[in-house]
Amino acid sequence: MTSLQKKIARLVTMHGPIDVSQYMHLAMADPDYGYYKTAQPFGREGDFITAPETSQMFGEMIAVWAIAAWQSMGHPQPFLLCEAGPGRGTLMDDILRTIGKLAPHCAASAHVALVETSPRLTRQQKQKLRRHGTRLQWVEHFAQLPPMPLVLIANELFDVLPIHQYVAAGGRFYERMVALSPEGQLCFTRGVSPAQLARLPVAAGTLADGTVIEISPAREALSGEISTHLAKQRGAALIIDYGALEPATGDTLQAMSRHSFRNPLENPGGYDLTSHVDFAALARAAHRAGCHSAAMTQGDFLLRLGLLERAGRLGADRDDTMRQQIVADVERLAGPDQMGELFKVLCIADPATTMPPFAWA
Ligand code: SAH
């Protein structure tokens, strides 16, 4: 057993089974052994490669969107350009470089803020973004941001926020819990009594026994918090992640290590633990806060913003090897069998702000 497995096993022995949300939180954020404390998540040598780590073109397209958002808001100065969950800082680096080139006036009006909970990644981000000067601010929670018009980007942040899982059985839902097997291993079990839930996307009676559904109060709360800020101060947010646009059923909890899927209970703290994002739930939270929203696949989003044209220009004076790499990057970011369809882009904005290429429903 690893140190964190032992710690969780002790907790379960003393207090009884813990829910999936608590398990995810311990695995990711335990102050001694949590994933973000100990792991090297990003890149080819790490556990996974995100879109901004794949190619600079991703950040360039997001920058084009951010400039359009700022213009649509009426060029506020100053405004808050914020990234939540910035990882190695690569996306913000590409965004700032591109905005500086395409829209210096927008760049000059931007007060840059990064929302990050990991001290280690914060240090990496500061190092990476040093060259963009001193108008950068780091906070641990979204609520600490100053009240200003906002353009916010979050790529692969919501998938790491914890979820609860419920299992249908005999017309009722029982929370899925983490317990200890007779052999002393972490295992899934069912809560002892039916879950009392006010809001669920589906009725248990319509589902086959054993079907898992997932909800995430943490994700809905963050979407609501961002949207409340947008409705009050004006602005737009772009939330990018893997998941479904329509409510879906099924167990999507996943552990990723060195680019392959692993058993989520096998090595807490050692693997990246995530689940698919329910974009419909995030959109509902945005509407409750008085915002508009629209969504599309990442492939559609990038193509409509001009990914192919940008790739053409980028490859124009490069050699064949580089050009093949650019083609492969486009395929990875927007190809339907790669990130293009699985990843979705949700745009949330205050009602007065229009946001091409999105159309409000
Ligand atoms: N956006 C980056 C990294 C994605 S990984 C990319 O696309 O490459 C998730 C990031 O979110 C990490 O930086 C992690 O430390 C951060 N994070 C995790 N929980 C968070 C929270 N509650 N608030 C803000 N950031 C968080």
Side-chain angles (χ1 to χ4, degrees):
M1 267 199 176
T2 66
S3 306
L4 188 52
Q5 260 174 329
K6 280 189 205 140
K7 190 167 174 178
I8 295 174
R10 263 201 313 279
L11 185 75
V12 170
T13 310
M14 287 189 314
H15 297 284
I18 56 173
D19 63 44
V20 170
S21 159
Q22 289 168 303
Y23 177 74
M24 279 179 91
H25 181 73
L26 287 167
M28 299 304 282
D30 181 84
D32 299 316
Y33 313 112
Y35 181 76
Y36 281 121
K37 181 81 189 172
T38 59
Q40 279 304 336
F42 306 101
R44 275 167 231 289
E45 317 78 46
D47 290 328
F48 54 87
I49 302 180
T50 60
E53 301 291 340
T54 299
S55 161
Q56 68 180 69
M57 292 184 288
F58 184 76
E60 291 168 349
M61 295 299 109
I62 305 287
V64 168
W65 172 86
I67 295 167
W70 177 71
Q71 287 168 342
S72 166
M73 288 153 63
H75 313 86
Q77 14 181 319
F79 77 104
L80 207 54
L81 177 62
C82 172
E83 185 183 356
R88 287 209 283 208
T90 308
L91 178 56
M92 188 51 95
D93 190 34
D94 287 331
I95 291 175
L96 291 176
R97 174 177 52 77
T98 309
I99 296 184
K101 232 188 257 169
L102 298 184
H105 192 44
C106 176
S109 311
H111 176 100
V112 180
L114 297 116
V115 186
E116 174 61 71
T117 45
S118 155
R120 192 166 56 95
L121 288 173
T122 300
R123 280 197 297 278
Q124 274 192 35
Q125 293 153 15
K126 286 188 172 161
Q127 179 76 11
K128 177 111 189 187
L129 297 172
R130 225 173 15 183
R131 67 192 183 92
H132 297 289
T134 51
R135 278 177 316 131
L136 277 75
Q137 174 191 7
W138 271 261
V139 297
E140 279 186 45
H141 302 287
F142 178 80
Q144 296 166 307
L145 291 179
M148 277 199 237
L150 172 69
V151 175
L152 177 136
I153 298 113
N155 186 60
E156 291 207 40
L157 165 65
F158 279 74
D159 65 80
V160 309
L161 301 181
I163 57 165
H164 291 267
Q165 291 188 317
Y166 298 92
V167 187
R172 293 171 155 192
F173 281 118
Y174 294 82
E175 182 146 17
R176 198 173 186 218
M177 311 291 282
V178 175
L180 275 183
S181 72
E183 296 77 37
Q185 299 297 319
L186 295 178
C187 66
F188 286 114
T189 180
R190 230 176 60 181
V192 284
S193 50
Q196 304 293 330
L197 293 160
R199 250 185 307 121
L200 272 181
V202 281
T206 63
L207 299 176
D209 279 3
T211 306
V212 172
I213 64 156
E214 301 175 336
I215 62 172
S216 176
R219 294 176 190 175
E220 290 180 40
L222 182 58
S223 175
E225 225 178 311
I226 293 169
S227 303
T228 301
H229 183 116
L230 296 175
K232 229 191 248 171
Q233 305 292 335
R234 291 213 62 180
L238 204 61
I239 296 172
I240 308 165
D241 227 307
Y242 40 94
L245 294 180
E246 303 299 331
T249 61
D251 170 16
T252 74
L253 184 66
Q254 65 184 43
M256 179 73 92
S257 176
R258 321 224 85 209
H259 312 280
S260 28
F261 291 109
R262 311 301 289 260
N263 175 348
L265 298 183
E266 177 183 291
N267 184 6
Y271 303 157
D272 184 43
L273 216 52
T274 66
S275 82
H276 284 205
V277 171
D278 175 358
F279 283 93
L282 303 190
R284 280 197 304 275
H287 302 161
R288 281 198 295 274
C291 281
H292 287 230
S293 79
M296 61 179 78
T297 64
Q298 176 169 306
D300 277 346
F301 175 75
L302 293 175
L303 293 178
R304 286 188 208 190
L305 280 172
L307 179 66
L308 296 181
E309 293 76 1
R310 175 63 188 138
R313 275 205 308 281
L314 198 58
D317 44 10
R318 304 292 174 90
D319 62 20
D320 274 356
T321 320
M322 266 310 285
R323 246 184 253 151
Q324 274 162 20
Q325 184 58 50
I326 292 169
V327 171
D329 291 345
V330 167
E331 199 43 47
R332 167 139 177 96
L333 293 176
D337 52 348
Q338 301 204 39
M339 300 177 96
E341 296 250 303
L342 175 61
F343 280 72
K344 311 295 190 301
V345 182
L346 174 69
C347 180
I348 301 172
D350 72 86
T353 298
T354 57
M355 202 57 57
F358 295 92
W360 304 132

